[in-house]
């Protein structure tokens, strides 16, 4: 394990980090170096959030037609993205660097943006919940009681770190439409668990008249208990 000292603004810190990592790689002569950031000289590159050009394109799509065009114009002023893009182009130009993707979408990005057709998909590993059937039933009753739900009241759960990226606004809109159109949905709950700014989203839920039914929960180590209580897990993303 090694640490790299960085300071300054975002771009300065990124440059210092890349330089520091390259210095460690040169000194230690590791058998292999796996990097989730575009660091020239790494043996394996596995971008966790997709390639840099695809990130920019996705950001523009999420902002809609008008703001997306403005975002496309202002992209040239994004010094951090320019630097990371430069680093990624160096990585992609290295035929000895192996490419791993977390999804087929990202593997296609390698082809589209860099004509690299040798990428391989390695999905994220998942640790399944360890609750047995009896415990799950107990937790279902307990969590539903805490949320003011009866045994047959519908409950949806969404786990998201980045609400904008994971489509939480779209989920809330669809949920509100369903609640207003279905009398049996009045006692339902939409539970959103994750790390983001709750206040603005809570205000939107109130404006859609589902403020009491949309519940926001900060990051928790008891996600499996919410799974046990829910009827459906909603997984939305721009992919």
């Amino acid at each position: 394990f090694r640490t790299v000292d960085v300071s300054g603004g975002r771009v300065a810190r990124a440059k210092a980090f890349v330089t520091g990592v390259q210095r460690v790689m040169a000194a230690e002569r590791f058998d292999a170096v796996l990097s989730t950031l575009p660091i020239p000289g790494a043996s394996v590159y596995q971008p966790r959030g997709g390639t840099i050009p695809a990130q920019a394109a996705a950001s523009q799509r999420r902002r809609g037609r008008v703001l997306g065009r403005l975002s496309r114009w202002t992209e040239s002023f994004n010094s951090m993205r320019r630097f990371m893009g430069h680093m990624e182009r160096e990585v992609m130009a290295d035929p000895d660097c192996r490419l791993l993707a977390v999804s087929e979408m990202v593997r296609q990005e390698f082809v589209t943006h860099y004509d690299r057709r040798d990428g391989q998909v390695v999905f994220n590993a998942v640790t399944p919940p360890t609750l047995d059937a009896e415990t799950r039933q107990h937790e279902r009753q307990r969590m539903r009681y805490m949320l003011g739900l009866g045994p047959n009241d519908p409950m949806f759960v969404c786990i998201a770190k980045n609400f904008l990226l994971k489509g939480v606004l779209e989920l809330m809109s669809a949920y509100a439409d369903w609640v207003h159109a279905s009398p049996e949905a009045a006692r339902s709950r939409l539970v959103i668990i994750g790390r983001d700014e709750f206040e603005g989203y809570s205000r939107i839920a109130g404006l859609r008249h589902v403020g009491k039914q949309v519940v926001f929960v900060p990051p928790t180590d008891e996600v499996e208990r919410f799974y046990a209580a829910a009827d459906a897990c909603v997984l939305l993303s721009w992919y």
Side-chain angles (χ1 to χ4, degrees):
F1 180 77
R2 301 289 187 273
T3 59
V4 176
D5 294 327
V6 295
S7 60
R10 287 188 67 198
V11 177
R13 293 198 304 272
K15 290 181 177 180
F17 180 77
V18 170
T19 301
V21 170
Q22 290 176 325
R23 187 181 301 118
V24 172
M25 288 192 299
E28 298 291 342
R29 297 182 179 275
F30 299 110
D31 294 331
V33 176
L34 166 66
S35 178
T36 58
L37 294 174
I39 298 180
S43 313
V44 182
Y45 177 43
Q46 186 184 40
R48 307 299 294 177
T51 60
I52 303 302
Q55 289 179 23
S59 177
Q60 292 164 15
R61 287 197 304 272
R62 288 196 298 272
R63 285 168 169 77
R65 182 175 300 177
V66 177
L67 292 179
R69 289 177 179 174
L70 178 62
S71 175
R72 192 178 304 116
W73 179 77
T74 59
E75 187 65 31
S76 59
F77 300 100
N78 189 329
S79 56
M80 182 63 176
R81 190 109 71 187
R82 285 205 314 272
F83 171 71
M84 297 300 286
H86 175 70
M87 291 294 99
E88 189 170 82
R89 286 191 294 274
E90 283 197 37
V91 169
M92 292 294 184
D94 180 4
D96 294 328
C97 181
R98 187 171 182 176
L99 304 180
L100 299 183
V102 297
S103 67
E104 179 61 26
M105 180 185 72
V106 176
R107 193 187 72 79
Q108 287 298 327
E109 291 173 10
F110 296 156
V111 178
T112 301
H113 298 291
Y114 298 103
D115 198 29
R116 286 287 300 263
R117 303 175 184 275
D118 55 334
Q120 293 180 296
V121 178
V122 178
F123 294 112
N124 290 329
V126 175
T127 302
T130 57
L131 303 181
D132 56 44
E134 183 179 352
T135 304
R136 282 200 302 270
Q137 184 59 33
H138 170 75
E139 290 300 329
R140 179 178 177 84
Q141 295 174 354
R142 184 177 72 89
M143 298 299 293
R144 283 174 161 265
Y145 177 79
M146 290 174 55
L147 294 167
L149 288 171
N152 298 317
D153 296 329
M155 174 181 163
F156 306 92
V157 64
C158 176
I159 317 294
K161 180 180 179 180
N162 184 324
F163 288 3
L164 180 63
L165 184 66
K166 293 301 171 66
V168 169
L169 280 176
E170 288 77 9
L171 169 59
M172 290 170 53
S173 177
Y175 175 72
D177 289 343
W178 175 70
V179 169
H180 300 326
S182 308
E184 68 275 12
R187 288 182 52 81
S188 65
R189 292 289 186 277
L190 169 60
V191 180
I192 300 172
I193 305 173
R195 183 182 294 109
D196 211 315
E197 297 296 332
F198 292 153
E199 185 176 347
Y201 289 89
S202 180
R203 188 178 301 116
I204 292 173
L207 292 173
R208 292 300 308 270
H209 306 291
V210 289
K212 294 182 179 180
Q213 289 141 296
V214 178
V215 180
F216 294 93
V217 178
T220 174
D221 293 330
E222 298 187 328
V223 169
E224 68 272 17
R225 287 166 169 75
F226 285 94
Y227 283 148
D231 296 300
C233 179
V234 186
L235 297 174
L236 295 178
S237 74
W238 283 84
Y239 179 15

